[in-house]
Amino acid sequence: MKNGDFESSYGFTFLAVAAETALREIINVQHNKKGFNKEEYEKQYSDAFEIFNTLKALKPNESQKDCISAKICIEGIAETREMELYDDPYCYGYDEFDEEMGEDEWISEDPVVEYLKSFKFE
């Protein structure tokens, strides 16, 4: 971070840091037949989402050289989620579904990944 640059820190944009803080626990959310309650998750981490949404509304520079943006950060969280579901499906609730769908289909229909992909950046 150079003097006067308040848009990045340690190779991450501040929006990426806020996104990571708000969303990192989503990797461990159970994938079950009841689905994913986005409102409940956001309420549980309301302070982190308040910071994330405030920073996002300021439209900071997310295309800084040598910085990981919020978009890249959230894509990484989604990839980690998919790997976790693939590596240990029963830990994440696959046994509730295994008679109905295969693991690949189950992973592809994960509401958490859909939620993560719903974040849009300019």
Side-chain angles (χ1 to χ4, degrees), residues 31 82 85-86 101-110 113:
H31 178 356
E82 288 175 337
L85 292 177
Y86 182 78
M101 62 178 70
E103 283 182 34
D104 290 338
E105 182 183 8
W106 176 75
I107 292 168
S108 73
E109 293 185 11
D110 179 27
V113 172

Side-chain angles (χ1 to χ4, degrees), residues 13-16 60-64 67-71 121-122:
T13 65
F14 282 131
L15 189 57
N61 180 5
E62 281 288 292
S63 60
Q64 298 174 67
C67 277
I68 296 173
S69 68
K71 179 181 182 210
F121 298 92
E122 295 176 14

Side-chain angles (χ1 to χ4, degrees), residues 12-120:
F12 291 85
T13 65
F14 282 131
L15 189 57
V17 173
E20 168 73 20
T21 302
L23 295 167
R24 84 175 124 230
E25 294 302 321
I26 207 164
I27 291 169
N28 302 312
V29 170
Q30 190 80 353
H31 178 356
N32 60 42
K33 290 182 181 181
K34 295 176 188 170
F36 169 66
N37 188 328
K38 160 185 137 162
E39 290 79 18
E40 188 177 301
Y41 181 83
E42 290 178 359
K43 182 179 176 185
Q44 184 175 359
Y45 298 97
S46 61
D47 290 346
F49 274 98
E50 183 177 350
I51 293 167
F52 172 70
N53 290 327
T54 300
L55 283 174
K56 189 175 179 195
L58 294 172
K59 298 181 182 175
N61 180 5
E62 281 288 292
S63 60
Q64 298 174 67
K65 184 178 179 185
D66 300 326
C67 277
I68 296 173
S69 68
K71 179 181 182 210
I72 299 298
C73 179
I74 292 172
E75 287 172 354
I77 292 170
E79 287 175 19
T80 301
R81 169 74 179 184
E82 288 175 337
M83 285 188 303
E84 291 290 330
L85 292 177
Y86 182 78
D87 288 345
D88 195 359
Y90 288 95
C91 181
Y92 289 89
Y94 177 64
D95 53 338
E96 291 185 27
F97 292 88
D98 61 0
E99 294 176 10
E100 300 172 26
M101 62 178 70
E103 283 182 34
D104 290 338
E105 182 183 8
W106 176 75
I107 292 168
S108 73
E109 293 185 11
D110 179 27
V112 171
V113 172
E114 288 177 31
Y115 169 68
L116 290 169
K117 290 179 180 179
S118 74
F119 287 92
K120 303 293 180 211

